[in-house]
Amino acid sequence: TGRKKLHTAPVGQVFRLRLFHVLVATGGGYAGYRKYEDYKLEQLEKSGIEVPVKLASEWEVALYKSVPTRLLSRAWGRLNQVELPTWLRKPVYSLYIWTFGVNMKEAAVEDLHHYRNLSEFFRRKLKPQARPVCCLHSVISPSDGKILNFGQVKNCEVEQVKGVTYSLESFLGPRICTEELHFSQAAPGNSFQQQLVTKEGNELYHCVIYLAPGDYHCFHSPTDWRVSHRRHFPGSLMSVNPGVARWIKELFCHNERVVLTGDWKHGFFSLTAVGATNVGSIRIYFDQDLHTNSPCYSKGSYNDFSFISNNNKEGIPMRKGEHLGEFNLGSTIVLIFEAPKDFKFHLKAGQKIRFGEALGSL
């Protein structure tokens, strides 16, 4: 009598909680170890030493994916939307600027007190003259970033970095109805890559641009084209920095992404925004129905939306340089498009590029 009652949880619930904590601790520790390895590789590359490709094993990928990056990214997103006291804004943003080398002289609003929270600061707009759009070339860079890879697509495989590939079909998903894209019917026996090429004599090209945390976070239309279809792949939110891209095969196929598909004057054209850790939010300005990193979507699935059958008969026309969307921190843009064989890239792997600069032309 007089003793306090002891309340116990069911054994199964306790086991699940402990298992969750073990997975978080183990996966988080391993992710930290990989970050350190990536840093060492970057230092070797800066010294001019070529680093051999070493791919992760299945268990390493599974361990990394056990980290609840989707949940952590949603929590980070909510934290970013918390309004900071005026006196705290300048110290917080100044630390970020110093860490990631942000050039605030290009920002439309340079006063740090103007940005109420981190989310507004990440999505800051630039001065109109800060990024002149190149008119002489047919395809421009849709964003600031670093060129990871570019070139022709071969054997239905695309390079995410030199020596590490992913499947074209896994990345884009099943081919979209030809009637929707106004494409000619391909022969049933053709490969997925051949089915995307609509004009004789054309080739399929790709370009991968990595946006670092300090880069301008909006992305724009890389050319004049018509967006017909959106495909959203819920998935993991692993880091997409060059070190991880070199380590995990088909990294972009594992991660959450939004594929915009359509056509330009030379045939098939697509732009894919790939999510990453703390970048679960991908926004497309003309697509109000898109909700990324939502718990209502399960991994391994995808959902489609047609801008032709639902909105109009012409799709969404985009002009070169027009605002298209934004990330909340930084991630990756992948362009896959059809062009004549004499299309030439004006790039070097590893170079820094800014929105509006030339990617390639005929």
Side-chain angles (χ1 to χ4, degrees), residues 48-72:
I49 301 173
E50 187 172 346
V51 182
V53 174
K54 183 181 178 182
L55 294 177
S57 61
E58 291 185 8
W59 72 265
E60 287 179 308
V61 176
L63 182 58
Y64 191 176
K65 292 175 74 173
S66 71
V67 180
T69 51
R70 289 169 63 84
L71 179 62
L72 293 173

Side-chain angles (χ1 to χ4, degrees), residues 28-318:
Y30 191 74
Y33 165 74
R34 286 307 314 174
K35 287 284 188 182
Y36 174 67
E37 290 293 310
D38 295 340
Y39 171 77
K40 291 198 299 183
L41 288 175
E42 287 179 5
Q43 297 306 308
L44 289 174
E45 286 183 343
K46 289 179 180 178
S47 303
I49 301 173
E50 187 172 346
V51 182
V53 174
K54 183 181 178 182
L55 294 177
S57 61
E58 291 185 8
W59 72 265
E60 287 179 308
V61 176
L63 182 58
Y64 191 176
K65 292 175 74 173
S66 71
V67 180
T69 51
R70 289 169 63 84
L71 179 62
L72 293 173
S73 296
R74 284 196 290 270
W76 175 252
R78 291 180 181 176
L79 178 64
N80 287 349
Q81 294 174 4
V82 174
E83 185 169 343
L84 297 176
T86 305
W87 61 269
L88 188 59
R89 295 174 188 176
K90 189 171 183 178
V92 170
Y93 301 147
S94 295
L95 177 62
Y96 187 91
I97 291 168
W98 177 80
T99 303
F100 296 108
V102 179
N103 184 3
M104 283 302 294
K105 291 183 179 179
E106 298 177 330
V109 180
E110 297 184 38
D111 182 10
L112 298 181
H113 296 101
H114 169 79
Y115 302 100
R116 294 173 298 177
N117 51 49
L118 282 166
S119 182
E120 285 189 3
F121 179 72
F122 294 149
R123 295 180 287 107
R124 64 193 176 277
K125 298 297 186 288
L126 298 182
K127 294 174 181 175
Q129 68 274 19
R131 296 290 186 275
V133 175
C134 178
C135 299
L136 300 177
H137 299 274
S138 53
V139 182
I140 62 169
S141 176
S143 66
D144 289 7
K146 179 181 180 181
I147 301 296
L148 295 190
N149 215 300
F150 63 93
Q152 285 189 16
V153 177
K154 298 179 180 179
N155 302 319
C156 295
E157 291 281 323
V158 186
E159 281 194 319
Q160 57 191 30
V161 293
K162 186 178 180 180
V164 182
T165 63
Y166 56 94
S167 164
L168 179 65
E169 186 170 5
S170 297
F171 181 69
L172 295 178
R175 188 164 179 260
I176 300 163
C177 174
T178 55
E179 293 180 0
E180 182 175 321
L181 293 178
H182 295 178
F183 290 168
S184 58
Q185 183 66 42
N190 286 355
S191 67
F192 184 79
Q193 178 178 338
Q194 292 171 327
Q195 291 177 23
L196 294 180
V197 178
T198 64
K199 298 180 181 179
E200 187 176 353
N202 281 2
E203 297 287 347
L204 207 61
Y205 297 86
H206 74 98
C207 183
V208 183
I209 305 170
Y210 167 68
L211 288 75
D215 287 328
Y216 169 54
H217 290 70
C218 296
F219 51 93
H220 301 245
S221 176
T223 192
D224 296 335
W225 64 308
R226 179 178 65 101
V227 184
S228 304
H229 189 272
R230 179 259 291 161
R231 177 168 284 162
H232 170 216
F233 289 86
S236 301
L237 289 172
M238 294 184 283
S239 171
V240 293
N241 74 52
V244 177
R246 188 185 298 107
W247 178 55
I248 297 181
K249 183 178 174 63
E250 299 204 329
L251 172 65
F252 299 155
C253 297
H254 289 296
N255 272 17
E256 180 144 2
R257 60 197 182 279
V258 177
V259 182
L260 299 179
T261 312
D263 58 286
W264 68 320
K265 60 183 179 180
H266 299 296
F268 174 81
F269 199 96
S270 72
L271 180 148
T272 301
V274 183
T277 308
N278 296 335
V279 197
S281 175
I282 302 170
R283 183 184 174 193
I284 305 297
Y285 293 138
F286 57 74
D287 189 356
Q288 301 302 317
D289 296 320
L290 175 65
H291 301 286
T292 56
N293 194 18
S294 171
C296 65
Y297 296 122
S298 58
K299 295 180 183 179
S301 62
Y302 65 84
N303 54 84
D304 288 343
F305 187 89
S306 170
F307 296 109
I308 289 180
S309 59
N310 288 281
N311 287 358
N312 53 61
K313 298 298 182 182
E314 298 299 327
I316 308 295
M318 298 297 301

